[in-house]
Amino acid sequence: MKPSNKGRKSAVAAIKVQDGWMTVETTVNGARQSWKIRPDDFLLDALRREGFKGAKKGCETGDCGSCAVLLDGKAVASCLLLAAQSQDREITTIEGLGTPSEPHPLQEAFVDTGGIQCGFCIPGMILSAKALLDRTPSPTEAEIRRALDGVLCRCTGYVKQVQAVKLAAERKK
Amino acid sequence: MGWIGKSVKRSDAKSKVMGAALYIDDYGYEGMLHAATVRSPYPRARIKKIDFSQAQKVPGFVRGITAKDVPGKNLWPLVMHDYPFLAEREAKFAGEAVALVAAESLQAARDAAAATRLLLEELPCVTDPLQALKKSAPRVYGRDNVFARYVVKKGDVAKGFEEADAVAEGIFTTGYQMQAYLETQGMIAFPESHGGVTLYGSMQCPYYVHDAVAAALGIAYNKVRVVQRSTGGGFGGKEDMPALVGTHAALAAVLTGRPVKLIYDRREDFISMSRRHPSWTQLRYGAKRDGALTACQAKFILDAGAYATLSPIVLWRGTVHAAGPYRIPHVLIESCAAATHKAPCGAFRGFGQPQSAFAHESLIDELALKLDMDPLDFRLKNALRVGDETATGQKLGESCGMVDALEEVRDASDWKKKRADYPAWKSGGARRRGIGVAANYYGVSLGARGRYLDRAAAQVQIQPDGTVMVAIGNTEIGQGARTVISQIAAESLNAPYEHIQVLETDTSRVPDSGPTVASRTTLMSGNAVLNACEPLRRRIFETAQEMLKKKGGAETPMSASDGKFSVAAAEVGFAEVARECYLRKLKMAEQGWYSAPPTSFDTETGQGDAYVTYAYSANVAEVEVDAETGETKVTKVTSAHDIGKVINPNAAEGQIEGGIVQALGYAFIEEIIEREGQVVNPNFTDYILPASADAPEFKTILLEHPYPAGPYGAKGLAESPIIGPAPAALNALRHACGVRLSHIPAMPEAIWKAVKHGDQKKQ
Ligand code: FES
Ligand code: FES
């Protein structure tokens, strides 16, 4: 889940720094955002500061996946990306996935299979699963496990989460 | 039964999938400061001076705090009362908290902590527990570096070995394991105008936090309030430790007069918080030719680290279970917890039992092989049954599913066939297959050693609209406590499950209910809730009956299910009845209480009733080993668990699956590398946790041998599943490759070496 930056250098380079602050323009869950940030702010911290608390901080070293968000549809560890790297890109956080009355099929499926215990890994899990299903609507079990591999869950033993992704894929058909 | 035994959806699932559940780091207050901790870098050091002069220059610095600033007593009131909240003269492990800083931002707090200068004198230290027990060792604790010693003595062990036809013996060791909850430790303290403080945070045991904060601040209990927030995993790591974190936050809040947030980063969580004790066990079993065990003798040593924390109790649990779930006439177990200059070990799911079970289940296998018996049959022959006595001489009067569990896993795993077939199994090259078994029991709740804490309170309030608020003193840490408690309340009141709301645990709502540990919540809080529901149920049922009478349904007895009450064609719903109760001015709130029955236990001999009841588990693990690399994959775990009445099968399965994966991490991949008292790998990059690809296939069997004193017959579950899988997997490795690994984690290199060595010996 390491961030990729291909072809994005120019957008980032165009941001001006003034008195140690810079402004990034990005899109989060479909809404345009303009953030005043420090050049060394990480995306995870910026998101959390702006109220997207669903992105969790489990390690800050890119190992646990609790901070996973979608960047242009791909699951990335937001604790390893600089906030500036989100310039002109589209971010999806767990808050953007569904509403309580109309949850995303993945959110429903996680509830139905019981793939939730403490819940700390769940936003990252669901977003990683979404990146997979958007790409591969009918994944095999091995593909699901690979897609979830970047997100650690200390509680569940993973089966019910894998089942949830399968169930969501079936329901979407 | 309507709600009991049903896999209802978790009450907190929705908020968690929406990302709406708030954990402590998701909260903030106006004017809130951030705190950071200054830690000793040495395993042992004399503290000469703490100098904040450079820290003060960090923009946003507010104040520094040392032991001198602790207004109350600088000693944590936990078990042995030996751990200072902030080290004063001597710091006893690398990572121990020496000072705190509070600042306007997290970054400023961390910068100020880094800029705080400690003038320390390094002192000689001891980091090996066996060395620590020697007379010449540097002092960590007391006169002999021993936090606790226990003996369990039953019969005459020398006679038992005389009677034996076969004897097996060995030394087994286990390493550290981190709880590795995904959410690190964290607390927010809010200073109150009455001079007290309210704490919010991630925790298992709010009452421990309450005790510690009151002691450190030197204030009355009624000025402290502790509220649990959504907690991102605990597994024992948030049993006692949040009391330390919370006290630090509270000190900073009271001394600055502002709210203070203290969140650990992963590294400091790794170096300073509790972890599973490394262990050393010397064990001997004797048996007759027909397989009947005659004797068990064990020396069991835990490496406790620099402060006692919960070590005496962890050791006790490990000790009383150390002979295994077997009928053995002669037993002698001696144990001790040794103090070393390392981070204190403490509570971790299983609580001393994964260590002693690794030894007993490995050696039982060896003895079976010596006797030329199938290891599963050998266990079955000796397994505890109703009417038998445990190693502590406790007679099992009821609810004992050990035999049942073993038979179930034998049949469900196709044990006999695989045990016979796997040795010949070959797949291109060096891969080998094996199947192994392990049995364990688990004393539910605190038992004789923690009997003063074994009580629980509850409050149940029925609202005028028919919804119900339930407050308990135990916490939801992911295990599903709120869901199970909701089911119990719904069942008792005949309320719809969806109408029950179990509130965040708050020490001002219900009196001290002891800790959320030892798989005790369903049993203890469940019974307390039932106790509170009892009079409410009476009022609800009587009112419903009278309402139905008016509706003309007088003759036949009333039936109550699914939140509805009916007589013949007449029907009323729970909400209508609740409203009617209010109109009749009935009391719709009650307190409940439950305390565990007294236990009789003699600490001199270690004989007596150790626990009120036991859960029983059997695990069969199948492995595939690559003999050329040592890489071992656990492909399937079949397990059966007698946990009494199962309240929620889906949640129970979740506990079991999660416990098994943690156990396999313990067996094969999770390794703290410690050199001279320093943790070398304090992060998830180098301390590897099982990921989704590492999880085996599960076959999970739930067995119900009801415990009459439990709520609807329930016992407890959370910990039993983590005890057996590690030895079962190592026994499978033994079956696959013919070698006995006597240390866990068994890393690929060790497996590879052992297999190579074993193969050479065969040739
Ligand atoms: S917090 Fe980003 S991967 Fe762990
Ligand atoms: S549910 Fe707790 S970490 Fe996944």
Side-chain angles (χ1 to χ4, degrees), chain A residues 56-60 62-65 67 77 79:
Chain A
K56 301 295 181 207
K57 191 181 274 187
C59 71
E60 296 177 86
D63 295 301
C64 75
C67 65
C79 70

PDB file of all heavy atoms in Angstrom, chain A residues 56-60 62-65 67 77 79, ligand 1:
ATOM      1  N   LYS A  56      -7.565   6.302  10.904  1.00  0.00           N
ATOM      2  CA  LYS A  56      -6.997   6.078  12.240  1.00  0.00           C
ATOM      3  C   LYS A  56      -5.486   5.997  12.190  1.00  0.00           C
ATOM      4  O   LYS A  56      -4.902   5.649  11.165  1.00  0.00           O
ATOM      5  CB  LYS A  56      -7.542   4.762  12.818  1.00  0.00           C
ATOM      6  CG  LYS A  56      -9.058   4.717  12.933  1.00  0.00           C
ATOM      7  CD  LYS A  56      -9.575   5.732  13.922  1.00  0.00           C
ATOM      8  CE  LYS A  56     -11.083   5.686  14.070  1.00  0.00           C
ATOM      9  NZ  LYS A  56     -11.635   6.973  14.489  1.00  0.00           N
ATOM     10  N   LYS A  57      -4.887   6.257  13.343  1.00  0.00           N
ATOM     11  CA  LYS A  57      -3.443   6.215  13.435  1.00  0.00           C
ATOM     12  C   LYS A  57      -3.041   5.014  14.286  1.00  0.00           C
ATOM     13  O   LYS A  57      -3.259   4.996  15.487  1.00  0.00           O
ATOM     14  CB  LYS A  57      -2.967   7.515  14.091  1.00  0.00           C
ATOM     15  CG  LYS A  57      -1.484   7.729  14.026  1.00  0.00           C
ATOM     16  CD  LYS A  57      -1.094   9.034  14.714  1.00  0.00           C
ATOM     17  CE  LYS A  57      -1.188  10.234  13.774  1.00  0.00           C
ATOM     18  NZ  LYS A  57      -0.658  11.468  14.386  1.00  0.00           N
ATOM     19  N   GLY A  58      -2.485   4.001  13.640  1.00  0.00           N
ATOM     20  CA  GLY A  58      -2.106   2.810  14.398  1.00  0.00           C
ATOM     21  C   GLY A  58      -0.608   2.647  14.548  1.00  0.00           C
ATOM     22  O   GLY A  58      -0.146   1.966  15.458  1.00  0.00           O
ATOM     23  N   CYS A  59       0.160   3.234  13.618  1.00  0.00           N
ATOM     24  CA  CYS A  59       1.610   2.996  13.691  1.00  0.00           C
ATOM     25  C   CYS A  59       2.453   4.148  13.162  1.00  0.00           C
ATOM     26  O   CYS A  59       3.578   4.326  13.590  1.00  0.00           O
ATOM     27  CB  CYS A  59       1.954   1.713  12.941  1.00  0.00           C
ATOM     28  SG  CYS A  59       1.787   1.845  11.148  1.00  0.00           S
ATOM     29  N   GLU A  60       1.957   4.870  12.222  1.00  0.00           N
ATOM     30  CA  GLU A  60       2.714   5.960  11.569  1.00  0.00           C
ATOM     31  C   GLU A  60       3.948   5.476  10.815  1.00  0.00           C
ATOM     32  O   GLU A  60       4.834   6.258  10.501  1.00  0.00           O
ATOM     33  CB  GLU A  60       3.142   7.035  12.580  1.00  0.00           C
ATOM     34  CG  GLU A  60       1.978   7.764  13.207  1.00  0.00           C
ATOM     35  CD  GLU A  60       2.437   8.761  14.260  1.00  0.00           C
ATOM     36  OE1 GLU A  60       2.763   9.900  13.877  1.00  0.00           O
ATOM     37  OE2 GLU A  60       2.467   8.410  15.452  1.00  0.00           O
ATOM     38  N   GLY A  62       3.470   3.025   8.197  1.00  0.00           N
ATOM     39  CA  GLY A  62       3.013   2.399   6.963  1.00  0.00           C
ATOM     40  C   GLY A  62       2.790   0.895   7.078  1.00  0.00           C
ATOM     41  O   GLY A  62       2.679   0.210   6.063  1.00  0.00           O
ATOM     42  N   ASP A  63       2.696   0.388   8.306  1.00  0.00           N
ATOM     43  CA  ASP A  63       2.615  -1.065   8.459  1.00  0.00           C
ATOM     44  C   ASP A  63       1.230  -1.602   8.799  1.00  0.00           C
ATOM     45  O   ASP A  63       0.969  -2.786   8.596  1.00  0.00           O
ATOM     46  CB  ASP A  63       3.581  -1.512   9.566  1.00  0.00           C
ATOM     47  CG  ASP A  63       5.024  -1.241   9.191  1.00  0.00           C
ATOM     48  OD1 ASP A  63       5.460  -1.775   8.161  1.00  0.00           O
ATOM     49  OD2 ASP A  63       5.699  -0.483   9.910  1.00  0.00           O
ATOM     50  N   CYS A  64       0.354  -0.768   9.363  1.00  0.00           N
ATOM     51  CA  CYS A  64      -0.882  -1.345   9.906  1.00  0.00           C
ATOM     52  C   CYS A  64      -2.107  -1.125   9.037  1.00  0.00           C
ATOM     53  O   CYS A  64      -3.081  -1.868   9.126  1.00  0.00           O
ATOM     54  CB  CYS A  64      -1.146  -0.828  11.315  1.00  0.00           C
ATOM     55  SG  CYS A  64      -1.754   0.867  11.382  1.00  0.00           S
ATOM     56  N   GLY A  65      -2.108  -0.087   8.227  1.00  0.00           N
ATOM     57  CA  GLY A  65      -3.248   0.144   7.345  1.00  0.00           C
ATOM     58  C   GLY A  65      -4.454   0.795   7.999  1.00  0.00           C
ATOM     59  O   GLY A  65      -5.468   1.010   7.340  1.00  0.00           O
ATOM     60  N   CYS A  67      -4.800   3.717   8.679  1.00  0.00           N
ATOM     61  CA  CYS A  67      -4.915   5.062   8.123  1.00  0.00           C
ATOM     62  C   CYS A  67      -5.263   5.036   6.641  1.00  0.00           C
ATOM     63  O   CYS A  67      -5.230   6.073   5.994  1.00  0.00           O
ATOM     64  CB  CYS A  67      -3.591   5.792   8.310  1.00  0.00           C
ATOM     65  SG  CYS A  67      -2.275   5.015   7.348  1.00  0.00           S
ATOM     66  N   ALA A  77      -1.524   4.308   2.340  1.00  0.00           N
ATOM     67  CA  ALA A  77      -1.306   4.602   3.759  1.00  0.00           C
ATOM     68  C   ALA A  77      -1.122   6.101   3.897  1.00  0.00           C
ATOM     69  O   ALA A  77      -0.100   6.648   3.501  1.00  0.00           O
ATOM     70  CB  ALA A  77      -0.079   3.854   4.263  1.00  0.00           C
ATOM     71  N   CYS A  79      -0.524   7.855   6.348  1.00  0.00           N
ATOM     72  CA  CYS A  79       0.510   8.289   7.296  1.00  0.00           C
ATOM     73  C   CYS A  79       1.862   8.431   6.621  1.00  0.00           C
ATOM     74  O   CYS A  79       2.782   8.979   7.197  1.00  0.00           O
ATOM     75  CB  CYS A  79       0.617   7.323   8.467  1.00  0.00           C
ATOM     76  SG  CYS A  79       1.319   5.724   8.037  1.00  0.00           S
TER      77      CYS A  79
HETATM   78  S1  FES C   1      -0.960   4.430  10.680  1.00  0.00           S
HETATM   79 FE1  FES C   1      -0.523   4.387   8.597  1.00  0.00          FE
HETATM   80  S2  FES C   1      -0.076   2.341   8.225  1.00  0.00           S
HETATM   81 FE2  FES C   1      -0.310   2.423  10.359  1.00  0.00          FE
END
